[in-house]
Amino acid sequence: MRNITIVRKVPFKISAKQIVWGIILAEREGLSLLFVQRPSSSEHHSHQIVLAVENKDRIFEDTNASRFSLEHDDLVDIGNKLSALGEGMSREDFKRFFQSDDDWMD
């Protein structure tokens, strides 16, 4: 039996004018480790894994933190979430999950 993995999608600000979706992989002491899909409008960016903090508007932003503490169970959870993203979704499901990239600024 496979463990159930909860994947939480959150808004992430990549620039002053652009917000995209990110997936929380792990959270600890006010920091979040996010998987951020490359914006559909940009061929110059790659997918990213970033450290972020949630601002007062409930939008996640990059942080200057350089460390993120992880326990064994955190690594297992991250692996399960990345596995769910990689194996559990078809390419169409993945695109649909991140589809609303450009709707935040409208």
Side-chain angles (χ1 to χ4, degrees):
M1 186 168 107
R2 193 168 190 181
N3 291 340
I4 294 175
T5 300
I6 307 254
V7 179
R8 194 170 117 204
K9 184 165 75 166
V10 296
F12 177 74
K13 184 186 288 190
I14 60 170
S15 70
K17 295 184 178 183
Q18 190 171 18
I19 297 174
V20 297
W21 290 110
I23 300 295
I24 293 181
L25 299 175
E27 295 179 283
R28 173 96 56 229
E29 299 174 9
L31 294 174
S32 297
L33 185 64
L34 301 179
F35 167 76
V36 179
Q37 185 188 27
R38 172 183 61 232
S40 58
S41 60
S42 174
E43 294 181 16
H44 305 294
H45 290 91
S46 299
H47 302 307
Q48 301 174 31
I49 293 182
V50 298
L51 287 175
V53 293
E54 188 174 11
N55 68 21
K56 62 181 170 54
D57 297 322
R58 301 190 57 110
I59 296 173
F60 286 75
E61 298 178 315
D62 205 355
T63 183
N64 293 329
S66 62
R67 295 182 188 266
F68 189 94
S69 299
L70 294 171
E71 302 295 331
H72 175 77
D73 290 343
D74 296 322
L75 292 173
V76 170
D77 193 41
I78 290 168
N80 287 337
K81 288 176 182 172
L82 289 173
S83 179
L85 287 172
E87 294 176 9
M89 296 180 155
S90 67
R91 173 163 272 164
E92 291 75 28
D93 290 338
F94 188 81
K95 286 180 181 178
R96 218 176 7 258
F97 192 73
F98 285 100
Q99 179 175 342
S100 301
D101 281 354
D102 302 323
D103 294 343
W104 284 95
M105 298 306 289
D106 291 342

